[in-house]
């Protein structure tokens, strides 16, 4: 069998690169260059390493297991709508310190970024780190995040995903906050190009409906664990507004945790 050609991805909202055979891959929203900086001195103790524990999905012993509805219910309090100037996207909380993950292209060029919680509250945030090459960014909520109603989501392991596993995409497609769509894992090692470097990266492919505004939202398994960050979709034609055709791509959570730890620290 001939080797599979890599897919080229681009932001869904603003720009787009064309794919072979007339398919365009669009990233869902807006990459801010740079990374988190710190104030380091000889007498300053190093900051504690960010703790982002990952867990294996629970087994469905006896044919039972968590339902799609219960997974959606558990995830929604941790998913936010991201507002960055005129751009909008999605994000999700990863710890009790108020850190929120989204895509770098969502916050590209933004001076002020706020998030809207599932309970309707709007919170101001600060961009504390961006990795434009991997299209990831970390925000931090201003003030006490724990009292706001924002709840961190458990992180799963993308290495354990199998083709056919059920997944949910959660976010704010087209500004419709708290939208949940369901599908399966279509491929676990799809090669795609997204981020500023244009280098090939391994992505999770899913047929869960993903549209502009889903960018930065979580892809979760049936146990409600984050297994990826929704980032790009394939569209027919060159328009970034063509919408979902059942081919979406997510950054694997195993890679996300490594990058996010570095951005926070």
């Amino acid at each position: 069998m001939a080797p599979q050609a890599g897919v080229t991805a681009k932001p869904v909202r603003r720009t787009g690169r064309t794919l072979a055979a007339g398919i365009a891959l669009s990233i869902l929203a807006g990459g801010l260059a740079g990374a988190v900086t710190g104030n380091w001195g000889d007498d300053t103790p190093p900051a504690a390493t960010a703790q982002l524990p990952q867990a294996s999905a629970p087994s469905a012993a006896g044919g039972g297991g968590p339902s799609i509805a219960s997974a959606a219910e558990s995830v929604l309090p941790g998913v936010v709508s991201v507002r960055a100037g005129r751009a909008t996207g999605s994000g999700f909380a990863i710890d009790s310190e108020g850190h929120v993950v989204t895509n770098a292209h969502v916050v590209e060029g933004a001076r002020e970024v706020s998030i809207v919680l599932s309970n309707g509250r709007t919170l101001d945030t600060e961009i504390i780190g961006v990795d434009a090459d991997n299209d990831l960014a970390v925000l931090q909520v201003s003030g006490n995040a724990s009292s706001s109603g924002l709840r961190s989501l458990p992180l799963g392991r993308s290495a354990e995903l199998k083709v056919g596993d059920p997944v949910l995409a959660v976010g704010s497609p087209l500004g419709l906050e708290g939208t949940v769509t369901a599908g399966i894992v279509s491929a676990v090692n799809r090669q795609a190009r997204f981020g500023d470097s244009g280098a090939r990266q391994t992505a999770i492919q899913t047929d869960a409906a993903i549209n502009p505004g889903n960018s930065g939202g979580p892809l979760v398994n049936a146990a409600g664990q984050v297994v990826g960050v929704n980032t790009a979709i394939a569209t027919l034609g060159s328009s970034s507004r063509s919408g979902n055709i059942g081919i979406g791509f997510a950054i694997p959570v195993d890679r996300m945790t490594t990058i996010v730890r570095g951005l926070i620290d």
Side-chain angles (χ1 to χ4, degrees):
M1 181 180 294
Q4 175 183 299
V7 174
T8 303
K10 66 178 190 178
V12 147
R13 231 188 133 185
R14 292 181 177 167
T15 58
R17 299 173 192 148
T18 14
L19 268 172
I23 298 180
L25 193 33
S26 299
I27 297 176
L28 316 167
L32 179 67
V36 64
T37 58
N39 181 17
W40 302 98
D42 292 340
D43 57 350
T44 303
T49 302
Q51 299 298 312
L52 298 176
Q54 294 174 256
S56 295
S59 61
S67 69
I68 294 296
S70 62
E73 182 180 11
S74 69
V75 165
L76 282 169
V79 181
V80 302
S81 177
V82 179
R83 297 176 179 176
R86 298 181 63 183
T88 60
S90 304
F92 58 96
I94 56 171
D95 59 22
S96 60
E97 304 302 315
H99 292 116
V100 172
V101 170
T102 187
N103 281 143
H105 71 260
V106 172
V107 298
E108 178 182 16
R111 295 182 178 180
E112 296 181 353
V113 179
S114 61
I115 60 173
V116 181
L117 278 56
S118 61
N119 60 15
R121 291 192 62 179
T122 298
L123 303 177
D124 293 330
T125 70
E126 177 186 0
I127 301 171
I128 66 166
V130 174
D131 185 329
D133 287 343
N134 288 285
D135 202 11
L136 288 169
V138 179
L139 314 175
Q140 180 149 32
V141 172
S142 303
N144 188 345
S146 60
S147 64
S148 66
L150 181 63
R151 190 171 73 195
S152 63
L153 300 185
L155 304 181
R157 296 183 181 276
S158 49
E160 296 179 354
L161 286 175
K162 297 179 178 62
V163 173
D165 281 349
V167 286
L168 303 177
V170 190
S172 303
L174 307 178
L176 301 172
E177 299 169 3
T179 294
V180 179
T181 57
I184 63 168
V185 173
S186 304
V188 293
N189 292 307
R190 187 68 73 205
Q191 294 296 303
R193 289 187 175 97
F194 45 79
D196 282 4
S197 70
R200 284 188 183 183
Q201 303 184 44
T202 300
I204 302 164
Q205 181 183 332
T206 178
D207 68 350
I210 298 173
N211 286 285
N214 271 120
S215 228
L219 185 72
V220 303
N221 61 19
Q225 299 169 336
V226 178
V227 293
V229 183
N230 298 318
T231 298
I233 58 174
T235 60
L236 294 173
S238 59
S239 172
S240 63
R241 300 180 182 275
S242 298
N244 169 70
I245 60 170
I247 302 176
F249 299 90
I251 300 167
V253 72
D254 295 353
R255 185 161 77 243
M256 182 216 82
T257 53
T258 299
I259 294 168
V260 166
R261 283 191 191 102
L263 293 177
I264 293 175
D265 293 339

